[in-house]
Amino acid sequence: MTHTISSNNETNNEITGIITGTQRFSLHDGPGIRTIVFLKGCPLSCLWCHNPETQSKSVEILYDSSKCLGCGACVTTCPAGCHTMIDGMHDYNRTACLACGKCADVCACALEKCGIPTTVSEAMKPVLADRPFYKRAGGLTVSGGEPFSQ
């Protein structure tokens, strides 16, 4: 995590990091009902990694070719020209990608933005909302990626 100055209040230091998402009402990552916040970034590259999309610290665009409908909406939206249609098939040039997420915003099927710069207070909102469900044994699980790498 890094310390930044909040754009809303210059005197308020906010701790920010990159998360890939939040899973609510989990029963598998600790005792009781859990809310899991998945952080992005891990230097370990374990062969058995269950969340390989969390290994890179950078925001990424995930693409699943088996889900692509070939609509071409990403082609006209991408400012870097990473997406093209070749013989009716989608081709994605990751090396030119800016990870702006504009393509994922218009895609209904195959593209997803992975990594959301988030303040701790934003990440904690669903955790605090779930507090009534935790009882004595539940709570927050911070996962990843490697949580200590941020």
Side-chain angles (χ1 to χ4, degrees):
M1 299 240 172
T2 58
H3 292 280
T4 61
I5 301 297
S6 172
S7 60
N8 296 334
N9 183 352
E10 289 188 13
T11 61
N12 180 17
N13 278 334
E14 281 279 351
I15 298 174
T16 61
I18 298 180
I19 67 170
T20 59
T22 302
Q23 181 180 346
R24 301 174 82 180
F25 304 106
S26 174
L27 301 174
H28 305 292
D29 290 299
I33 295 172
R34 317 291 299 174
T35 303
I36 308 167
V37 177
F38 292 91
L39 300 181
K40 193 149 168 47
C42 180
L44 302 177
S45 299
C46 300
L47 294 175
W48 58 86
C49 180
H50 289 204
N51 303 314
E53 71 280 3
T54 65
Q55 289 180 356
S56 170
K57 287 184 179 183
S58 303
V59 175
E60 299 173 287
I61 304 300
L62 304 180
Y63 171 60
D64 184 344
S65 62
S66 68
K67 295 180 179 179
C68 183
L69 300 176
C71 70
C74 56
V75 175
T76 58
T77 304
C78 179
C82 297
H83 304 276
T84 55
M85 297 300 287
I86 301 172
D87 296 328
M89 300 295 295
H90 177 232
D91 183 56
Y92 176 34
N93 177 0
R94 291 179 187 272
T95 59
C97 184
L98 305 172
C100 67
K102 291 180 181 179
C103 60
D105 291 342
V106 298
C107 180
C109 50
L111 295 164
E112 178 184 349
K113 188 173 182 179
C114 182
I116 306 160
T118 307
T119 64
V120 171
S121 57
E122 282 296 313
M124 287 299 294
K125 283 182 181 179
V127 176
L128 296 174
D130 290 347
R131 284 178 78 183
F133 301 103
Y134 298 153
K135 306 280 185 211
R136 292 183 186 181
L140 167 66
T141 297
V142 180
S143 190
E146 171 50 52
F148 291 109
S149 72
Q150 286 198 42

Short mmCIF file of all heavy atoms in Angstrom, two decimals, residues 11-43:
data_model
loop_
_atom_site.label_atom_id
_atom_site.label_comp_id
_atom_site.label_asym_id
_atom_site.label_seq_id
_atom_site.Cartn_x
_atom_site.Cartn_y
_atom_site.Cartn_z
N THR A 11 -5.50 17.56 3.52
CA THR A 11 -4.90 17.29 4.82
C THR A 11 -5.15 15.86 5.28
O THR A 11 -4.65 15.45 6.31
CB THR A 11 -5.45 18.26 5.89
OG1 THR A 11 -6.86 18.07 5.99
CG2 THR A 11 -5.15 19.70 5.52
N ASN A 12 -5.91 15.11 4.53
CA ASN A 12 -6.27 13.75 4.92
C ASN A 12 -5.40 12.75 4.16
O ASN A 12 -5.54 12.60 2.96
CB ASN A 12 -7.75 13.52 4.61
CG ASN A 12 -8.22 12.14 4.99
OD1 ASN A 12 -7.56 11.44 5.75
ND2 ASN A 12 -9.34 11.74 4.46
N ASN A 13 -4.49 12.06 4.86
CA ASN A 13 -3.71 11.01 4.22
C ASN A 13 -4.56 9.76 4.11
O ASN A 13 -5.12 9.30 5.08
CB ASN A 13 -2.46 10.66 5.05
CG ASN A 13 -1.34 11.63 4.80
OD1 ASN A 13 -1.27 12.24 3.74
ND2 ASN A 13 -0.45 11.76 5.76
N GLU A 14 -4.67 9.23 2.90
CA GLU A 14 -5.40 7.99 2.66
C GLU A 14 -4.41 6.93 2.23
O GLU A 14 -3.53 7.19 1.41
CB GLU A 14 -6.43 8.17 1.54
CG GLU A 14 -7.70 8.85 1.95
CD GLU A 14 -8.69 7.92 2.65
OE1 GLU A 14 -8.48 6.70 2.67
OE2 GLU A 14 -9.68 8.45 3.17
N ILE A 15 -4.54 5.74 2.77
CA ILE A 15 -3.73 4.61 2.33
C ILE A 15 -4.48 3.96 1.18
O ILE A 15 -5.66 3.66 1.30
CB ILE A 15 -3.49 3.62 3.48
CG1 ILE A 15 -2.72 4.29 4.60
CG2 ILE A 15 -2.74 2.39 2.96
CD1 ILE A 15 -2.55 3.43 5.84
N THR A 16 -3.80 3.78 0.05
CA THR A 16 -4.43 3.16 -1.11
C THR A 16 -3.65 1.92 -1.53
O THR A 16 -2.48 1.77 -1.22
CB THR A 16 -4.50 4.12 -2.31
OG1 THR A 16 -3.17 4.49 -2.68
CG2 THR A 16 -5.30 5.36 -1.98
N GLY A 17 -4.34 1.06 -2.22
CA GLY A 17 -3.73 -0.14 -2.78
C GLY A 17 -4.53 -0.57 -3.98
O GLY A 17 -5.48 0.11 -4.38
N ILE A 18 -4.18 -1.69 -4.57
CA ILE A 18 -4.92 -2.22 -5.71
C ILE A 18 -5.55 -3.54 -5.29
O ILE A 18 -4.87 -4.44 -4.81
CB ILE A 18 -4.01 -2.42 -6.93
CG1 ILE A 18 -3.43 -1.07 -7.36
CG2 ILE A 18 -4.78 -3.05 -8.09
CD1 ILE A 18 -2.51 -1.14 -8.55
N ILE A 19 -6.86 -3.61 -5.45
CA ILE A 19 -7.58 -4.84 -5.15
C ILE A 19 -8.15 -5.42 -6.45
O ILE A 19 -8.32 -4.70 -7.43
CB ILE A 19 -8.71 -4.62 -4.12
CG1 ILE A 19 -9.84 -3.75 -4.67
CG2 ILE A 19 -8.16 -4.02 -2.83
CD1 ILE A 19 -11.09 -3.72 -3.79
N THR A 20 -8.41 -6.73 -6.44
CA THR A 20 -9.08 -7.33 -7.59
C THR A 20 -10.56 -7.50 -7.31
O THR A 20 -11.32 -7.73 -8.23
CB THR A 20 -8.47 -8.70 -7.96
OG1 THR A 20 -8.57 -9.57 -6.85
CG2 THR A 20 -7.03 -8.54 -8.37
N GLY A 21 -10.95 -7.40 -6.08
CA GLY A 21 -12.37 -7.50 -5.75
C GLY A 21 -12.60 -7.91 -4.32
O GLY A 21 -11.66 -8.11 -3.54
N THR A 22 -13.87 -8.02 -3.99
CA THR A 22 -14.31 -8.40 -2.65
C THR A 22 -15.31 -9.55 -2.80
O THR A 22 -16.19 -9.50 -3.65
CB THR A 22 -14.99 -7.21 -1.95
OG1 THR A 22 -14.05 -6.13 -1.90
CG2 THR A 22 -15.42 -7.56 -0.55
N GLN A 23 -15.14 -10.56 -1.97
CA GLN A 23 -16.08 -11.68 -1.95
C GLN A 23 -16.81 -11.64 -0.61
O GLN A 23 -16.17 -11.69 0.45
CB GLN A 23 -15.36 -13.01 -2.12
CG GLN A 23 -16.28 -14.20 -2.13
CD GLN A 23 -15.53 -15.51 -2.31
OE1 GLN A 23 -14.37 -15.53 -2.67
NE2 GLN A 23 -16.20 -16.61 -2.04
N ARG A 24 -18.10 -11.56 -0.66
CA ARG A 24 -18.89 -11.46 0.55
C ARG A 24 -19.52 -12.81 0.90
O ARG A 24 -19.76 -13.63 0.03
CB ARG A 24 -19.96 -10.39 0.38
CG ARG A 24 -19.32 -9.03 0.08
CD ARG A 24 -20.31 -7.97 -0.25
NE ARG A 24 -20.84 -7.43 1.00
CZ ARG A 24 -21.76 -6.48 1.03
NH1 ARG A 24 -22.23 -5.97 -0.07
NH2 ARG A 24 -22.20 -6.04 2.19
N PHE A 25 -19.74 -13.04 2.17
CA PHE A 25 -20.42 -14.24 2.70
C PHE A 25 -19.68 -15.53 2.35
O PHE A 25 -20.28 -16.53 2.00
CB PHE A 25 -21.88 -14.29 2.25
CG PHE A 25 -22.65 -13.06 2.62
CD1 PHE A 25 -22.98 -12.12 1.67
CD2 PHE A 25 -22.99 -12.82 3.94
CE1 PHE A 25 -23.67 -10.96 2.02
CE2 PHE A 25 -23.68 -11.67 4.30
CZ PHE A 25 -24.02 -10.74 3.33
N SER A 26 -18.37 -15.52 2.48
CA SER A 26 -17.56 -16.71 2.23
C SER A 26 -17.54 -17.57 3.50
O SER A 26 -17.48 -17.05 4.62
CB SER A 26 -16.14 -16.33 1.85
OG SER A 26 -15.34 -17.48 1.75
N LEU A 27 -17.54 -18.87 3.31
CA LEU A 27 -17.46 -19.81 4.43
C LEU A 27 -16.17 -20.63 4.40
O LEU A 27 -16.00 -21.53 5.21
CB LEU A 27 -18.67 -20.77 4.39
CG LEU A 27 -20.04 -20.12 4.46
CD1 LEU A 27 -21.13 -21.16 4.27
CD2 LEU A 27 -20.21 -19.37 5.78
N HIS A 28 -15.28 -20.33 3.45
CA HIS A 28 -14.12 -21.19 3.21
C HIS A 28 -12.77 -20.61 3.59
O HIS A 28 -11.79 -21.33 3.61
CB HIS A 28 -14.09 -21.60 1.73
CG HIS A 28 -15.36 -22.24 1.28
ND1 HIS A 28 -15.78 -23.48 1.72
CD2 HIS A 28 -16.33 -21.79 0.46
CE1 HIS A 28 -16.94 -23.77 1.18
NE2 HIS A 28 -17.30 -22.77 0.41
N ASP A 29 -12.66 -19.34 3.88
CA ASP A 29 -11.36 -18.72 4.12
C ASP A 29 -11.21 -18.20 5.54
O ASP A 29 -10.77 -17.09 5.78
CB ASP A 29 -11.13 -17.59 3.10
CG ASP A 29 -10.92 -18.13 1.71
OD1 ASP A 29 -9.95 -18.88 1.51
OD2 ASP A 29 -11.73 -17.83 0.83
N GLY A 30 -11.56 -19.05 6.49
CA GLY A 30 -11.47 -18.71 7.89
C GLY A 30 -12.74 -19.12 8.60
O GLY A 30 -13.70 -19.57 7.97
N PRO A 31 -12.76 -18.99 9.93
CA PRO A 31 -13.94 -19.41 10.69
C PRO A 31 -15.12 -18.47 10.47
O PRO A 31 -14.95 -17.27 10.27
CB PRO A 31 -13.46 -19.36 12.14
CG PRO A 31 -12.34 -18.37 12.13
CD PRO A 31 -11.69 -18.49 10.78
N GLY A 32 -16.32 -19.02 10.49
CA GLY A 32 -17.53 -18.21 10.39
C GLY A 32 -17.72 -17.62 9.00
O GLY A 32 -17.08 -17.99 8.03
N ILE A 33 -18.65 -16.67 8.93
CA ILE A 33 -18.91 -15.95 7.69
C ILE A 33 -17.84 -14.89 7.52
O ILE A 33 -17.54 -14.13 8.44
CB ILE A 33 -20.31 -15.31 7.72
CG1 ILE A 33 -21.38 -16.39 7.78
CG2 ILE A 33 -20.52 -14.40 6.51
CD1 ILE A 33 -22.78 -15.88 8.01
N ARG A 34 -17.23 -14.84 6.32
CA ARG A 34 -16.10 -13.95 6.06
C ARG A 34 -16.41 -13.01 4.90
O ARG A 34 -17.16 -13.35 3.99
CB ARG A 34 -14.85 -14.73 5.67
CG ARG A 34 -14.54 -15.97 6.47
CD ARG A 34 -14.12 -15.71 7.86
NE ARG A 34 -12.90 -14.92 7.93
CZ ARG A 34 -12.40 -14.47 9.07
NH1 ARG A 34 -12.98 -14.75 10.20
NH2 ARG A 34 -11.30 -13.77 9.09
N THR A 35 -15.80 -11.86 4.93
CA THR A 35 -15.72 -10.97 3.77
C THR A 35 -14.25 -10.97 3.37
O THR A 35 -13.38 -10.71 4.20
CB THR A 35 -16.19 -9.55 4.11
OG1 THR A 35 -17.52 -9.62 4.62
CG2 THR A 35 -16.16 -8.65 2.88
N ILE A 36 -13.97 -11.31 2.11
CA ILE A 36 -12.60 -11.42 1.65
C ILE A 36 -12.28 -10.26 0.72
O ILE A 36 -13.02 -10.00 -0.23
CB ILE A 36 -12.36 -12.74 0.89
CG1 ILE A 36 -12.83 -13.93 1.73
CG2 ILE A 36 -10.88 -12.89 0.53
CD1 ILE A 36 -12.92 -15.21 0.94
N VAL A 37 -11.20 -9.56 1.00
CA VAL A 37 -10.69 -8.53 0.11
C VAL A 37 -9.43 -9.09 -0.54
O VAL A 37 -8.48 -9.46 0.15
CB VAL A 37 -10.38 -7.22 0.88
CG1 VAL A 37 -9.78 -6.17 -0.05
CG2 VAL A 37 -11.64 -6.68 1.55
N PHE A 38 -9.45 -9.18 -1.87
CA PHE A 38 -8.32 -9.73 -2.62
C PHE A 38 -7.43 -8.59 -3.09
O PHE A 38 -7.86 -7.73 -3.86
CB PHE A 38 -8.82 -10.52 -3.84
CG PHE A 38 -9.54 -11.78 -3.47
CD1 PHE A 38 -10.91 -11.80 -3.29
CD2 PHE A 38 -8.83 -12.97 -3.30
CE1 PHE A 38 -11.57 -12.96 -2.94
CE2 PHE A 38 -9.48 -14.14 -2.95
CZ PHE A 38 -10.85 -14.14 -2.77
N LEU A 39 -6.18 -8.60 -2.62
CA LEU A 39 -5.21 -7.59 -3.03
C LEU A 39 -4.45 -8.07 -4.26
O LEU A 39 -4.32 -9.27 -4.49
CB LEU A 39 -4.23 -7.31 -1.88
CG LEU A 39 -4.85 -6.80 -0.59
CD1 LEU A 39 -3.76 -6.54 0.45
CD2 LEU A 39 -5.66 -5.53 -0.81
N LYS A 40 -3.93 -7.14 -5.04
CA LYS A 40 -3.22 -7.47 -6.28
C LYS A 40 -1.73 -7.28 -6.07
O LYS A 40 -1.29 -6.27 -5.55
CB LYS A 40 -3.73 -6.56 -7.40
CG LYS A 40 -3.30 -7.01 -8.78
CD LYS A 40 -4.34 -6.64 -9.80
CE LYS A 40 -3.90 -6.77 -11.23
NZ LYS A 40 -3.25 -7.99 -11.58
N GLY A 41 -0.97 -8.28 -6.49
CA GLY A 41 0.48 -8.22 -6.41
C GLY A 41 1.05 -9.33 -5.54
O GLY A 41 0.66 -9.49 -4.39
N CYS A 42 1.93 -10.15 -6.13
CA CYS A 42 2.60 -11.21 -5.39
C CYS A 42 3.92 -11.53 -6.07
O CYS A 42 3.94 -11.87 -7.26
CB CYS A 42 1.73 -12.46 -5.31
SG CYS A 42 2.53 -13.80 -4.39
N PRO A 43 5.03 -11.45 -5.35
CA PRO A 43 6.33 -11.74 -5.94
C PRO A 43 6.69 -13.22 -5.97
O PRO A 43 7.75 -13.59 -6.48
CB PRO A 43 7.29 -10.97 -5.04
CG PRO A 43 6.63 -11.02 -3.70
CD PRO A 43 5.14 -10.94 -3.99
#
